[in-house]
Amino acid sequence: MMPAKAPSIWVVVLNWNGMEHLEYMLPSFLSCDYPDHVHLLFVDACSTDESCEYARQHADGKMEIYVLPDNLGWAGGNNHAIRYAVENGAEYVVLLNNDMRFSPRWLTDSMRVFADHPDAGVVGCRIFNDLGTFEQASQDYSSVTCEEAAYIPGCCMIVPVGIWREVGLINEEYEFYAEEDDFEVRVKKAGHKLYCTNVPIWHFHDGSMRHFPEKKAYLAMRNAILFSRRYDPVFLTLAKVANIFLCTTLKNWRKHTMTNRRYYAKNPWFNLRIFFRALSWNRKDAAQRGYRSVVAPPAL
């Protein structure tokens, strides 16, 4: 009996002006253990720094370089890459950010979840923000385990192509922030589960958007309200709006989460202007398209 053919796995790294991060990310990424059926794809969103050329120089035949026609944002850029990967035979597509460090067996071990859990729709890894804690976790790591999760961070998502076909691609209306939340809600509504492994990965967070604090805060606020309108009870949406308001006016209000920290761009008065812009956008959108404002995601 012939052994089962290993599935084609495409690993997508989306980059825009990420030179400061690629110097540590690519050596870590390219030194990992990848079997022959894994294809590494570096996707550049028309960077204006030296990051794309740096990737070309360090690809060393291990990684394909693909340049997008324009900067399409996180959602649009990844959708473009997913379609390209599927057209070339991908059976799984992995989405990664460009500001990460990896354990050597991060992919091979994480892929085992799909064999053990046929209901898996998205698989992710254990994300660390502190470098020292990540390095210790990597040393201590021995074998993969997993547990069902409510959410998988978009910086590292492993998704079977069949899931993309079933529930659609990433909703590009969000551009940045909340787009993976929207996708994962659709995955769960379709009857699939999210699983997080114990495989350690380090993530810098907001590697590109931290240079644009006003845009980052606006999109984080606007999209959090839009996402909540679509999927949460009204009282919970009101509670989230109140939380955003407090985060914009009180510098230390519940800043233990990355999402809440994104809402505070500069100072309270500056932040309030952004808050009312985001609120106004949602008010107009609800009036034009209805409160839930549900739209069909892009199809694969």
Side-chain angles (χ1 to χ4, degrees):
M1 184 176 180
M2 293 290 291
K5 181 183 176 183
S8 175
I9 305 168
W10 281 56
V11 183
V12 173
V13 178
L14 183 63
N15 173 73
W16 180 74
N17 286 357
M19 187 64 218
E20 62 183 306
H21 302 293
L22 296 184
E23 290 178 336
Y24 62 77
M25 189 271 188
L26 283 184
S28 174
F29 176 63
L30 294 174
S31 65
C32 293
D33 301 330
Y34 300 115
D36 292 339
H37 60 276
V38 174
H39 187 91
L40 308 182
L41 181 67
F42 182 90
V43 179
D44 188 77
C46 296
S47 294
T48 55
D49 66 356
E50 300 172 349
S51 56
C52 189
E53 185 57 35
Y54 179 85
R56 292 185 195 278
Q57 294 172 1
H58 290 78
D60 194 28
K62 300 178 181 178
M63 180 174 68
E64 179 183 356
I65 309 298
Y66 183 79
V67 180
L68 294 173
D70 198 359
N71 184 357
L72 306 173
W74 189 88
N78 276 312
N79 282 346
H80 198 104
I82 293 165
R83 291 189 177 102
Y84 178 76
V86 172
E87 288 169 0
N88 286 276
E91 296 171 81
Y92 289 82
V93 178
V94 185
L95 302 185
L96 296 177
N97 283 11
N98 64 350
D99 55 348
M100 308 179 72
R101 299 175 193 259
F102 304 86
S103 301
R105 305 198 314 270
W106 72 273
L107 181 59
T108 52
D109 283 5
S110 296
M111 285 299 299
R112 294 177 184 174
V113 175
F114 291 101
D116 296 336
H117 299 274
D119 58 353
V122 182
V123 170
C125 297
R126 186 182 179 193
I127 307 297
F128 290 85
N129 304 131
D130 179 76
L131 185 57
T133 307
F134 160 73
E135 291 173 343
Q136 184 61 53
S138 295
Q139 292 176 15
D140 296 341
Y141 174 78
S142 59
S143 60
V144 65
T145 61
C146 74
E147 59 183 16
E148 189 176 348
Y151 165 74
I152 299 296
C155 63
C156 177
M157 298 196 309
I158 307 172
V159 185
V161 167
I163 296 294
W164 299 113
R165 293 192 189 281
E166 181 179 358
V167 306
L169 299 178
I170 303 164
N171 190 329
E172 297 179 18
E173 184 176 31
Y174 292 100
E175 186 179 357
F176 290 96
Y177 307 130
E179 61 275 82
E180 75 268 34
D181 304 73
D182 186 280
F183 170 70
E184 289 169 11
V185 165
R186 289 184 274 126
V187 170
K188 289 186 284 187
K189 283 180 176 291
H192 307 284
K193 293 182 179 180
L194 316 181
Y195 288 96
C196 183
T197 72
N198 63 331
V199 180
I201 281 182
W202 179 84
H203 184 210
F204 182 87
H205 273 297
D206 289 332
S208 298
M209 290 299 289
R210 69 190 182 98
H211 299 295
F212 307 95
E214 181 175 359
K215 183 177 182 179
K216 178 176 73 172
Y218 171 71
L219 289 176
M221 294 180 200
R222 188 199 76 174
N223 292 349
I225 298 170
L226 174 60
F227 174 81
S228 189
R229 282 170 45 211
R230 283 180 170 160
Y231 298 110
D232 292 333
V234 174
F235 78 89
L236 189 53
T237 300
L238 293 174
K240 289 185 177 181
V241 171
N243 175 68
I244 294 172
F245 175 80
L246 291 171
C247 287
T248 63
T249 54
L250 302 176
K251 188 172 184 179
N252 295 315
W253 174 260
R254 301 187 65 190
K255 293 302 190 293
H256 59 284
T257 72
M258 176 59 64
T259 299
N260 282 349
R261 290 197 291 273
R262 286 174 179 148
Y263 301 143
Y264 198 93
K266 192 173 183 180
N267 59 61
W269 292 112
F270 185 83
N271 300 339
L272 276 175
R273 181 170 62 86
I274 302 172
F275 170 76
F276 285 114
R277 274 181 58 210
L279 200 62
S280 176
W281 184 94
N282 274 277
R283 181 185 61 79
K284 293 176 182 177
D285 180 66
Q288 292 172 358
R289 300 193 296 179
Y291 177 78
R292 292 295 181 187
S293 187
V294 177
V295 296
L300 179 58

